[in-house]
Amino acid sequence: AMLVGSYVDAYFTQDLEELKAGHPQIFLRDGETLKAEFRGAEQMIKRASSDDTFLSYLVGDTQQIITGEIEGVPFKAMPDVVNSDKGRIVDLKTTRDFRKIWSDKVQAYVGFIEAWEYDIQGAIYRELIRQKTGKTLPFYIAAITREASPDIELFEIPGDVLDDSLMMVKSLAGRYSAIKEGYTEPE
């Protein structure tokens, strides 16, 4: 699933030929025919490319590394799209479908954004971009389903959710840094 997502992402960042060259496992034995899941990725790309509004959210500076500090801890990130002119951060995601997923963490069915905690990713992106530009931009997920007939949707993660997620990141940044540096054992 991660490589299918990377395939779709590489198409929109114009790195598809490089991805194909570096991942021969996406082809059948003949070395030319894509495996079924990557033919599905081609359908996902076709569906997304057919919608002008969806495509407009994928325009901007793509996959540029941004760095900064949160609570004195260095962070490095690479958002899919930052469009300063339109004032938005967009991350492209592929997902099985848009049905709710069971979350052991909250003991309930939740949307894929909450299940995979993309709000945390968005909060980090937004904070690092704010540090770099002085602007607090909204964060969107541009999602494509991996269904036989792919669906697309644009989701904005509300600012207050991103604020709460950033507070959580701030409260845990020191601990995760200490674990990474080997000073603290993970639980």
Side-chain angles (χ1 to χ4, degrees):
M2 292 287 285
L3 193 51
V4 168
S6 294
Y7 187 96
V8 172
D9 201 47
Y11 173 83
F12 289 106
T13 59
Q14 298 164 3
D15 296 321
L16 189 55
E17 292 310 313
E18 184 179 322
L19 182 128
K20 286 179 177 179
H23 295 279
Q25 70 270 32
I26 70 174
F27 297 100
L28 296 175
R29 290 183 207 205
D30 67 10
E32 294 179 19
T33 308
L34 288 170
K35 289 182 177 177
E37 57 265 43
F38 297 97
R39 289 192 306 271
E42 291 282 332
Q43 288 303 112
M44 295 163 66
I45 291 166
K46 184 178 177 182
R47 172 62 182 100
S49 296
S50 72
D51 188 283
D52 291 338
T53 301
F54 191 87
L55 282 179
S56 74
Y57 275 72
L58 301 178
V59 173
D61 296 325
T62 59
Q63 305 227 326
Q64 294 187 351
I65 294 173
I66 54 172
T67 58
E69 287 188 0
I70 299 174
E71 295 297 303
V73 176
F75 275 76
K76 180 177 173 180
M78 191 169 64
D80 287 334
V81 179
V82 177
N83 188 321
S84 298
D85 294 337
K86 298 286 185 183
R88 60 183 172 226
I89 307 161
V90 182
D91 213 51
L92 180 64
K93 299 292 184 194
T94 62
T95 185
R96 181 179 8 174
D97 55 43
F98 292 139
R99 290 189 289 268
K100 294 198 179 249
I101 304 166
W102 179 258
S103 168
D104 288 333
K105 183 177 178 180
V106 297
Q107 293 294 299
Y109 284 95
V110 297
F112 78 98
I113 292 171
E114 185 177 350
W116 297 109
E117 298 182 326
Y118 292 139
D119 55 309
I120 295 170
Q121 181 181 13
I124 293 168
Y125 288 177
R126 188 174 76 150
E127 174 60 14
L128 296 180
I129 290 167
R130 185 199 61 75
Q131 290 175 16
K132 181 179 176 182
T133 67
K135 297 177 184 175
T136 302
L137 303 178
F139 178 72
Y140 296 86
I141 298 287
I144 309 171
T145 66
R146 293 187 302 266
E147 298 169 296
S149 180
D151 196 4
I152 57 172
E153 190 67 51
L154 295 165
F155 299 92
E156 180 179 2
I157 299 180
D160 60 332
V161 172
L162 295 172
D163 292 341
D164 290 346
S165 297
L166 182 60
M167 292 302 293
M168 186 192 68
V169 169
K170 286 180 175 183
S171 72
L172 296 173
R175 174 162 171 70
Y176 284 123
S177 180
I179 291 168
K180 182 179 172 185
E181 299 297 322
Y183 298 122
T184 302
E185 288 294 315
E187 293 176 10

